[in-house]
Amino acid sequence: MLISKMAAEGGGKEMNEIKTQFTTREGVYKLLTHSEYSRPNRVPFNSQGSNPVKVSFVNVNDQSGNGDRICFNVGRELYFYIYKGVRKAADLSKPIDKRIYKGTQPTCHDFNHLTATAESVSLLVGFSAGQVQLIDPIKKETSKLFNEERLIDKSRVTCVKWVPGSESLFLVSHASGSMYLYNVEHTCGTTAPHYQLLKQGENYSVHTCKSKSTRNPLLKWTVGEGALNEFAFSPDGKFLACVSQDGFLRVFNFDAVELHGTMKSYFGGLLCVCWSPDGKYIVAGGEDDLVTVWSFLDCRVIARGHGHKSWVSVVAFDHYTTSVEESDPMEFSGSDEDFQDQMIHFGRDRANSTQSRLSKRNSTDSRAVSVTYRFGSVGQDTQLCLWDLTEDILFPHLPLSRTRTHTNVMNATIPPLGSTAVTNTPSNTINGNNSGASTPGLNSTTLPRSNSLPPPAGTGGLTSGILDSAIATGVSKFATLSLHDRKERPHEKDHKRNHSMGHISSKSSDKLNLLTKSKADPAKTLGTLLCPRMEEVPLLEPLICKKIAHERLTVLIFLEDCLVTACQEGFICTWARPGKVGLLSSQNQASSPSGTVV
């Protein structure tokens, strides 16, 4: 009995051991203990009742070559440091800026990358009491406070982001379930805003601010039920993915203010969302402990990933480790060690290399081209998971160029891609421009699939019509979002909302056909296109699943040389990518021998 008890204790200790390195097929990722950022005293933060620790990065194009800056919140405190990453040890004694707030706590923040310089940066900070502050931590200035009197929204700010391509527009979501579009150049007014309806759809509405002079907010979005937990813009800035406490992912055409598609969690709320580098896939995570992969083009769940033991708090794609292989078709089977011998080219430039190589997948080249998307997730179980989204999941009807994959397909019965057409009402037009991420989906001519969705004929003037309406109601700045040609997608599905999962027959094709024609029975979302059963879609297994912290994880960011994680104790950790520690350390020694080298 004593032996079994000791064995159990030993096993438990090993299970609870915090990992400082892990291995994938591209090599070993190592935790750089000297590159840890935290409060200057390095004392673990008592996180009870506190808002999640968040991290934001910006590059100020400093001529010294060390232009990265990091901002993070811990409790009532906000810190701004030079981020040295894998190059040098963190110097916590010299924050560029430090702020301590009374009566409210920072909940989220975002830099404007367009306007950042070595002399000035624009940082938005959202707070637990509902306000949003615009600060410059380099100049140590506070320029503006939005929703100061909480007349616009009294609930906690859940997410704040600058609108892509804009120096003045930003979007804020709240625990109330509302989102607001602001312009930094406008005031908020001294009275509560009055609104008039601009657009309404299934479980969402958009209002403009009704006033004699233009004031904030420019637009108010009411989305779903319960808190709107996070949103993310597509890489081209045209679409907006939102996840809510009601368990729904909703994807909007941001300019046209229209719903593109919807997905329902297996159960519970969705907490986090991200886009693939090319805008073709969205990953969401939440209270069902799963990561769910959703196809933007087909508007359906294509896979789920199970590896976490608790709520998933962050999902993120690794833009630098999306791989493209050009080779003759082949099969591979064997161990992970054997697979590491396969030569795979990894992209290093996020904006150009990754997307240009992804575009090869859509070409008519006779050579086999295989694509693997890498994404990661962290959760309240203190674990980091990495996942590969591979050919057999993305294109199940095509011959595989490499069948070996870290996936477990549990008798997957994926509905044919063409079947999604019954729930789509074409209303927009796809134009021929195919540059970068501006086409989140694929044209029907790019894949040898007979059941690809055809380009719909539609009303090309839809976006301009909505924007004209917005301009007429005093939202002239909103029109500046249409800065380049838009590629519209088929959309406008009617969607259902419910947490319940009743006992439904898996023979749900008839139900799918009726999905958009009537209100769904609250118990019937499970087993439909909105929320397939577990056995109806492939189940991914994580490449790695490692415990890396003592407290719940709240941050996962992929950078070129490293990945960054953070836990609720207030420790921000840097994990060097394979081969990056020695290389950059030697470069650092050559350039500044007096510096502290990791």
Side-chain angles (χ1 to χ4, degrees):
M1 183 174 178
L2 180 61
I3 295 175
S4 62
K5 182 179 179 182
M6 290 176 64
E9 288 177 351
K13 183 177 180 182
E14 184 176 345
M15 288 290 290
N16 290 323
E17 180 184 353
I18 293 184
K19 305 299 181 184
T20 58
Q21 66 179 47
F22 56 86
T23 303
T24 63
R25 65 168 180 266
E26 61 267 20
V28 180
Y29 290 74
K30 295 182 179 179
L31 176 65
L32 304 180
T33 55
H34 296 294
S35 295
E36 181 180 88
Y37 286 78
S38 68
R39 297 189 298 170
N41 57 15
R42 293 190 184 272
V43 174
F45 175 69
N46 182 0
S47 60
Q48 292 297 324
S50 242
N51 289 288
V53 173
K54 297 290 185 181
V55 172
S56 295
F57 284 99
V58 68
N59 189 288
V60 299
N61 299 314
D62 191 348
Q63 293 182 352
S64 68
N66 192 18
D68 291 329
R69 304 290 182 266
I70 184 174
C71 172
F72 57 91
N73 61 289
V74 182
R76 297 185 298 116
E77 302 166 8
L78 188 75
Y79 292 92
F80 182 69
Y81 281 96
I82 294 175
Y83 179 70
K84 300 177 181 178
V86 300
R87 294 180 295 274
K88 289 185 178 182
D91 184 359
L92 300 183
S93 65
K94 298 176 180 178
I96 299 175
D97 195 14
K98 171 187 174 182
R99 300 181 184 225
I100 302 177
Y101 296 93
K102 296 180 180 179
T104 187
Q105 294 184 3
T107 59
C108 50
H109 31 83
D110 189 45
F111 287 105
N112 193 320
H113 297 268
L114 283 180
T115 62
T117 67
E119 293 76 35
S120 175
V121 294
S122 295
L123 176 68
L124 291 168
V125 184
F127 291 92
S128 56
Q131 303 94 336
V132 177
Q133 191 179 47
L134 175 63
I135 66 175
D136 187 333
I138 294 180
K139 293 182 177 179
K140 297 181 171 57
E141 292 178 354
T142 300
S143 57
K144 286 188 177 180
L145 187 60
F146 302 91
N147 193 29
E148 181 175 5
E149 302 299 327
R150 305 172 69 213
L151 297 172
I152 297 172
D153 200 305
K154 292 180 168 57
S155 65
R156 172 175 52 90
V157 174
T158 56
C159 187
V160 59
K161 291 186 186 297
W162 293 94
V163 173
S166 176
E167 297 184 1
S168 57
L169 296 173
F170 64 93
L171 195 61
V172 182
S173 63
H174 288 257
S176 63
S178 295
M179 283 190 304
Y180 303 90
L181 180 69
Y182 288 82
N183 188 321
V184 295
E185 297 170 2
H186 297 160
T187 62
C188 290
T190 56
T191 58
H194 294 279
Y195 299 103
Q196 64 184 31
L197 184 65
L198 174 65
K199 192 68 181 289
Q200 190 167 18
E202 183 73 26
N203 296 312
Y204 82 95
S205 61
V206 183
H207 291 78
T208 60
C209 191
K210 188 177 181 180
S211 62
K212 293 181 179 179
S213 58
T214 305
R215 58 164 284 184
N216 284 318
L218 302 181
L219 292 180
K220 175 185 178 180
W221 298 60
T222 304
V223 181
E225 297 175 358
L228 201 165
N229 290 320
E230 190 175 49
F231 62 84
F233 285 98
S234 61
D236 60 9
K238 300 175 189 177
F239 291 87
L240 183 71
C242 306
V243 288
S244 300
Q245 197 57 39
D246 62 8
F248 276 82
L249 161 73
R250 295 177 178 87
V251 181
F252 295 95
N253 182 318
F254 186 58
D255 286 4
V257 197
E258 291 196 342
L259 189 64
H260 167 80
T262 305
M263 180 270 287
K264 173 72 171 60
S265 69
Y266 202 69
F267 62 83
L270 287 175
L271 305 176
C272 50
V273 64
C274 66
W275 292 78
S276 64
D278 55 4
K280 291 180 172 63
Y281 303 98
I282 295 173
V283 172
E287 296 175 357
D288 54 10
D289 303 354
L290 302 170
V291 292
T292 302
V293 185
W294 190 80
S295 167
F296 176 91
L297 174 64
D298 299 318
C299 291
R300 69 180 182 93
V301 175
I302 60 170
R304 291 189 178 102
H306 183 250
H308 288 283
K309 301 179 179 67
S310 187
W311 295 357
V312 179
S313 51
V314 183
V315 287
F317 273 88
D318 184 352
H319 294 220
Y320 305 94
T321 312
T322 289
S323 64
V324 173
E325 235 182 296
E326 298 182 23
S327 61
D328 294 328
M330 65 177 222
E331 278 198 15
F332 183 90
S333 60
S335 65
D336 287 353
E337 289 76 13
D338 295 333
F339 192 58
Q340 289 177 22
D341 295 334
Q342 299 294 321
M343 296 302 294
I344 295 178
H345 175 68
F346 294 99
R348 292 298 177 230
D349 180 76
R350 165 177 165 176
N352 300 316
S353 176
T354 298
Q355 290 182 8
S356 66
R357 286 180 294 108
L358 285 173
S359 67
K360 292 179 183 178
R361 178 61 184 85
N362 309 330
S363 70
T364 56
D365 196 324
S366 59
R367 287 191 297 175
V369 180
S370 109
V371 181
T372 300
Y373 294 87
R374 168 71 54 80
F375 67 93
S377 58
V378 295
Q380 296 198 7
D381 57 0
T382 71
Q383 293 194 117
L384 163 69
C385 292
L386 294 181
W387 315 79
D388 270 358
L389 191 57
T390 49
E391 288 276 287
D392 54 342
I393 302 299
L394 300 175
F395 311 107
H397 303 298
L398 295 180
L400 297 184
S401 58
R402 184 182 72 244
T403 59
R404 192 273 181 201
T405 173
H406 285 268
T407 60
N408 176 23
V409 183
M410 299 171 51
N411 300 319
T413 55
I414 307 172
L417 298 183
S419 68
T420 60
V422 299
T423 62
N424 282 332
T425 304
S427 59
N428 291 335
T429 303
I430 304 173
N431 62 35
N433 185 0
N434 191 29
S435 59
S438 58
T439 308
L442 302 176
N443 258 336
S444 61
T445 57
T446 60
L447 288 178
R449 293 188 296 178
S450 60
N451 56 356
S452 295
L453 292 175
T459 55
L462 179 61
T463 301
S464 60
I466 293 296
L467 291 180
D468 288 343
S469 174
I471 293 169
T473 54
V475 196
S476 59
K477 289 294 183 181
F478 188 54
T480 62
L481 290 170
S482 296
L483 300 177
H484 37 265
D485 292 338
R486 301 301 193 182
K487 286 197 176 73
E488 311 300 351
R489 308 304 314 170
H491 57 66
E492 285 289 69
K493 292 193 289 183
D494 289 335
H495 300 285
K496 314 303 165 288
R497 168 194 293 111
N498 201 283
H499 293 287
S500 304
M501 291 183 284
H503 299 285
I504 309 169
S505 168
S506 60
K507 298 177 181 178
S508 56
S509 59
D510 291 338
K511 295 186 180 69
L512 293 181
N513 290 330
L514 296 173
L515 199 58
T516 65
K517 299 179 181 178
S518 63
K519 291 281 185 179
D521 186 319
K524 293 182 180 179
T525 54
L526 182 66
T528 69
L529 198 65
L530 284 177
C531 181
R533 294 177 179 277
M534 290 298 286
E535 66 271 16
E536 292 177 336
V537 294
L539 187 65
L540 304 177
E541 294 178 355
L543 296 174
I544 63 105
C545 190
K546 302 293 184 183
K547 179 182 175 66
I548 61 169
H550 289 292
E551 288 293 330
R552 66 184 187 272
L553 293 162
T554 58
V555 170
L556 174 62
I557 299 173
F558 291 97
L559 301 177
E560 184 173 359
D561 299 322
C562 59
L563 60 92
V564 176
T565 61
C567 71
Q568 194 54 26
E569 285 185 316
F571 296 114
I572 292 89
C573 297
T574 296
W575 301 76
R577 290 185 185 270
K580 289 298 180 181
V581 183
L583 173 65
L584 290 181
S585 293
S586 60
Q587 290 177 349
N588 183 67
Q589 283 179 320
S591 60
S592 54
S594 60
T596 306
V597 180
V598 177

